[in-house]
């Protein structure tokens, strides 16, 4: 998971303001195995660079699992036998994925979009923030902490409590980015206790979800919010539906 500064590292506005580009928008039912998703992302990233294939936004759910980024610390895996653990080439530390969490994998051509990695991560954060705002949730960045956070402190800011509602992880190969983000819609929050998620160890920091915040939001509603916000943040795009069998 790549850390981005709170201050905007790139110009405001969409990354492609002039005209639409083809983006395959895929929504998978059921639960997609992590190894299969990773293989498909890597294949699409290669095809984008070598063959001019369309970019991909892939919305899915995984079965319960933990992933370890390149900065993962062994001691942060608290219950190693609880769920499968997948090593991954993305930046960052340990993350949980599972049912009730909307994973949005973005396989995007940073070279064509004229984005450096830092700016791209900022755009991903903004994509989450604008998606959450459609449900009246104020998602925020925090300097020195990866992901998007919700302030749940009491009146006057005490007692201090901030919960992570979305995680972000990125890998870039030949200027094509893959992996992406995960928004907690209604996952089993107790599953996060098997790890120190993304290095969260400070008192007062935790994990939340839309349903935990009292919002009975459906996955379809989250998908619609993601589509609307993607156009606002990354610019107009020509949506290509996933080919049906």
């Amino acid at each position: 998971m790549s850390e981005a500064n709170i201050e905007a590292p790139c110009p405001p506005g969409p990354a492609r303001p002039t005209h639409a580009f083809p983006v395959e928008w895929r929504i998978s039912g059921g639960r997609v195995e992590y190894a299969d998703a990773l293989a498909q992302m890597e294949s699409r990233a290669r095809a984008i660079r070598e063959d001019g294939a369309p970019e991909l936004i892939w919305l899915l759910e995984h079965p319960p699992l933990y992933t370890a980024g390149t900065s993962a610390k062994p001691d942060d895996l608290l219950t190693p036998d609880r769920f499968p653990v997948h090593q991954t080439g993305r930046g960052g530390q340990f993350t949980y994925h599972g049912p009730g969490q909307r994973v949005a994998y973005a396989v995007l051509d940073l070279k064509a979009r004229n984005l450096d990695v830092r700016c791209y991560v900022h755009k991903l954060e903004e994509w989450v923030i604008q998606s959450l705002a459609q449900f009246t949730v104020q998602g925020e960045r925090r300097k020195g902490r990866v992901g998007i956070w919700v302030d749940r402190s009491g009146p006057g800011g005490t007692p201090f409590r901030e919960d992570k509602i979305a995680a972000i992880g990125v890998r870039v190969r030949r200027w094509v980015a893959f992996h992406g983000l995960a928004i907690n819609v209604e996952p089993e929050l107790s599953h996060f206790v098997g790890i120190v998620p993304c290095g969260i160890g400070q008192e007062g920091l935790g994990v939340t979800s839309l349903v935990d915040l009292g919002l009975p939001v459906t996955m379809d509603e989250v998908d619609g919010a993601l589509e609307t916000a993607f156009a606002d943040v990354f610019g107009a795009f020509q949506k290509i539906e996933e080919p049906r069998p």
Side-chain angles (χ1 to χ4, degrees), residues 1-240:
M1 297 189 175
S2 302
E3 180 179 328
N5 196 296
I6 295 177
E7 298 178 358
C10 51
R16 277 182 169 169
T18 55
H19 56 288
F21 283 75
V23 177
E24 181 181 333
W25 198 272
R26 181 186 304 177
I27 302 176
S28 291
R31 299 174 186 175
V32 179
E33 294 294 332
Y34 186 81
D36 293 340
L38 182 58
Q40 290 194 49
M41 282 192 289
E42 291 180 339
S43 176
R44 178 57 65 92
R46 183 168 55 252
I48 288 172
R49 179 54 62 236
E50 296 178 358
D51 304 320
E55 297 174 311
L56 173 66
I57 300 297
W58 187 8
L59 308 183
L60 56 82
E61 291 177 89
H62 285 305
L65 58 92
Y66 298 130
T67 65
T70 55
S71 300
K73 303 172 184 177
D75 290 346
D76 284 348
L77 182 59
L78 305 179
T79 55
D81 298 327
R82 186 171 191 175
F83 297 125
V85 179
H86 295 266
Q87 301 295 323
T88 176
R90 63 162 175 79
Q93 301 181 45
F94 281 104
T95 299
Y96 167 76
H97 292 311
Q101 184 186 68
R102 177 48 92 211
V103 174
Y105 286 133
V107 190
L108 300 179
D109 188 343
L110 301 190
K111 184 176 181 181
R113 291 177 178 274
N114 195 29
L115 291 172
D116 61 29
V117 176
R118 187 162 172 257
C119 179
Y120 174 60
V121 172
H122 193 86
K123 294 284 188 184
L124 287 180
E125 293 171 334
E126 189 63 26
W127 185 19
V128 175
I129 289 169
Q130 290 197 24
S131 297
L132 294 175
Q134 295 175 59
F135 305 108
T136 69
V137 174
Q138 185 175 344
E140 299 176 336
R141 300 174 177 89
R142 287 293 181 264
K143 189 172 183 179
R145 286 193 252 133
V146 181
I148 300 303
W149 298 79
V150 176
D151 187 349
R152 304 186 75 181
S153 302
T158 55
F160 172 78
R161 181 182 174 189
E162 291 185 342
D163 289 344
K164 177 182 278 192
I165 194 168
I168 293 173
V170 172
R171 184 173 185 180
V172 178
R173 181 182 295 160
R174 297 170 65 188
W175 286 103
V176 178
F178 53 108
H179 294 281
L181 57 91
I183 297 176
N184 295 333
V185 182
E186 192 179 7
E188 177 52 65
L189 295 179
S190 67
H191 290 176
F192 285 89
V193 303
I195 56 172
V196 179
C198 300
I200 297 174
Q202 179 182 334
E203 185 177 355
L205 301 182
V207 181
T208 191
S209 68
L210 288 168
V211 170
D212 183 54
L213 293 174
L215 299 167
V217 177
T218 68
M219 203 66 78
D220 286 344
E221 290 172 328
V222 172
D223 293 347
L226 284 166
E227 184 174 342
T228 298
F230 183 88
D232 289 340
V233 174
F234 286 99
F237 67 99
Q238 176 189 346
K239 182 179 178 181
I240 303 172

